[in-house]
Amino acid sequence: MEYLDFELPIKELEEQLDKCMVIGKESDVDVTETCKQIEKKLSETRKEIYKNLTAWQRVQLSRHPNRPYTLDYINAICGDTWLELHGDRTVKDDKAMIGGLGKIGDQTYMFIGQQKGYNTKTRQYRNFGMANPEGYRKALRLMKSAEKFGVPVVCLVDTPGAYPGIEAEERGQGEAIARNILEMTRLKVPIIVLIIGEGASGGALGIGVGDKVLMLENTWYSVISPESCSSILWRSWEYKEQAAESLKLTSTDMKKLKLIDEVVKEPAGGAHANREKTFEIVKNKISSHYEDLKKLSPKDLVNARMDKYANMGVFNG
C-alpha cells in the first residue's frame, strides 16, 4: 500500500499494529489488549483525517495509485458476464476508452469508461486514461447499440482530460465530444454516470451526461485541473491548493451546486482502503437507480434529462 503525505499517521499506526501482532505470534506475551488499543487509535485517526480533508487532498485521493480503476469495478461487479467490445469502425480501437456488456444479477448493462494504467507500460498503453476522438466515437457507437436493444448505459468517469495532441485535434476531438453530449441528452435508455476518480474538463463530459450523475466521495469534477488553473492564473503550479479550493470541484460542492444527483460515501480510509466494500456500494447504487429509471417511458426519460440539464446554472435574481 502506498500512502499520501496526510495519510502518514495511519501508516505509522498500521506498522505498529503489524509489529504488535508479530510479537504476539512469535512469543508467549499476551498482546491482545495492546493490539486493541492500537486498532482503536487507528480507527479514530482514520476518521479524523478523512473527516477534515481539503479540496486538494480529495484531488490527491482521486489519483491514489491504489485506487480502483474502471476495469476493477467492472470485473468485480460483472465477473464472468463481462464482454468487452472494441473499435469505432472508423479509425481504430482506443485503449483509453473501454466499453462492453456486463450483467448485475439478471440485468444487462452497457458499461463505458476511461481506463488508466497501473505501471509505466500500461499507462502508455492506455494513454494515461486520455481518450482520442475515436474513443468517444467508440463510446457513442456502443451507446447507440445499447439504445437499439433497450440496454441501460453505465458510464464510469476517470480521466485527467481528453487527449490534447495535434493528431487528436486533426481527427476532430471537439466535435466528437460535442456529438456525444448531444446524442446522450436524447438517448432513449437510462444512463447512470459515476465519477470514480478524476472528472476533468470535456474529457469527462464526453461520457458524462446522464439521468443520474453520482460522484464517489473522494473524487473531483471540474472544467480544469487545479494544476492547470494555477499555471494559467499564477503562471506557476505552486497555487494548486488555492485553485482546488476556488474551483469548488469536490463532490459536496457539486451536490450543493446541483450539478450532480448524489454523493456516494466511500468506506473509511477511501476507496483504495477497502476495494471490495467500494465495489459492493457502487453495484448497489447502479441497481437501485436503474430500478427507479426503468419505470419511466423513453419519452419521459429524455424529457426529464433535457429539463435537468436546461435547469443547471439558472439564476433567479
Side-chain angles (χ1 to χ4, degrees):
M1 174 73 85
E2 292 185 48
Y3 295 85
L4 300 170
D5 292 347
F6 62 87
E7 291 180 308
L8 291 177
I10 294 170
K11 181 187 178 185
E12 285 170 18
L13 285 165
E14 283 181 346
E15 284 173 354
Q16 282 177 27
L17 185 61
D18 288 343
K19 281 176 189 171
C20 187
M21 286 174 168
V22 168
I23 290 166
K25 280 177 190 170
E26 292 179 353
S27 68
D28 297 329
V29 182
D30 184 9
V31 292
T32 315
E33 198 53 47
T34 312
C35 286
K36 275 184 184 172
Q37 284 174 357
I38 297 171
E39 277 175 357
K40 190 185 174 192
K41 184 83 168 48
L42 179 60
S43 177
E44 286 168 0
T45 307
R46 195 174 268 142
K47 275 181 192 167
E48 196 57 38
I49 287 172
Y50 288 98
K51 193 173 69 181
N52 301 304
L53 291 175
T54 65
W56 173 245
Q57 285 170 337
R58 290 202 190 277
V59 171
Q60 287 178 291
L61 275 175
S62 75
R63 299 167 176 166
H64 199 289
N66 300 116
R67 194 175 176 87
Y69 295 143
T70 298
L71 276 174
D72 297 321
Y73 283 95
I74 290 171
N75 289 326
I77 291 168
C78 303
D80 296 338
T81 65
W82 166 242
L83 173 70
E84 190 173 351
L85 301 168
H86 299 273
D88 70 334
R89 302 293 183 268
T90 309
V91 181
K92 64 176 182 179
D93 182 43
D94 190 335
K95 307 299 183 191
M97 184 77 75
I98 57 141
L101 295 161
K103 281 188 173 185
I104 299 177
D106 294 328
Q107 177 60 49
T108 302
Y109 295 86
M110 179 67 81
F111 287 91
I112 292 162
Q114 290 104 348
Q115 175 66 22
K116 293 177 175 175
Y118 302 94
N119 52 36
T120 307
K121 197 173 180 181
T122 54
R123 281 174 195 139
Q124 285 179 317
Y125 179 72
R126 298 287 180 187
N127 200 30
F128 299 87
M130 297 187 290
N132 278 280
E134 49 272 23
Y136 292 100
R137 290 179 183 130
K138 170 164 82 168
L140 182 56
R141 180 178 77 80
L142 298 183
M143 286 183 223
K144 285 292 187 183
S145 295
E147 181 182 50
K148 183 179 177 181
F149 296 106
V151 175
V153 174
V154 175
C155 295
L156 302 172
V157 177
D158 186 13
T159 180
Y163 183 58
I166 291 173
E167 61 274 36
E169 299 298 341
E170 285 172 348
R171 290 198 298 276
Q173 185 72 288
E175 189 276 338
I177 291 170
R179 171 74 54 194
N180 276 24
I181 293 169
L182 169 66
E183 296 292 349
M184 286 181 89
T185 55
R186 57 191 190 191
L187 208 71
K188 293 184 177 67
V189 290
I191 308 171
I192 298 164
V193 177
L194 263 145
I195 293 148
I196 58 168
E198 300 183 271
S201 194
L205 276 181
I207 59 166
V209 177
D211 302 295
K212 294 291 176 188
V213 180
L214 320 177
M215 277 179 83
L216 287 180
E217 196 178 358
N218 298 312
T219 61
W220 62 277
Y221 195 20
S222 175
V223 70
I224 193 169
S225 72
E227 294 95 329
S228 300
C229 178
S230 173
S231 64
I232 290 169
L233 294 180
W234 290 281
R235 307 217 178 275
S236 162
W237 278 28
E238 282 178 31
Y239 300 92
K240 54 187 182 288
E241 293 178 40
Q242 196 176 325
E245 210 63 54
S246 302
L247 283 166
K248 304 291 178 205
L249 42 66
T250 66
S251 53
T252 43
D253 290 326
M254 287 285 121
K255 181 75 175 79
K256 213 178 284 179
L257 294 166
K258 296 182 180 165
L259 297 172
I260 63 160
D261 300 289
E262 188 183 341
V263 177
V264 179
K265 295 285 278 181
E266 293 181 19
H272 61 282
N274 192 339
R275 292 161 75 107
E276 279 65 38
K277 193 174 178 187
T278 307
F279 298 146
E280 194 60 35
I281 291 167
V282 167
K283 181 180 175 179
N284 294 336
K285 286 290 176 191
I286 292 168
S287 297
S288 64
H289 280 294
Y290 175 64
E291 286 303 312
D292 294 336
L293 293 170
K294 75 175 184 183
K295 294 169 190 166
L296 299 173
S297 68
K299 188 180 177 183
D300 290 341
L301 198 67
V302 172
N303 285 341
R305 195 185 303 144
M306 292 270 199
D307 289 344
K308 174 185 162 180
Y309 281 91
N311 288 329
M312 283 182 185
V314 171
F315 177 71
N316 297 317

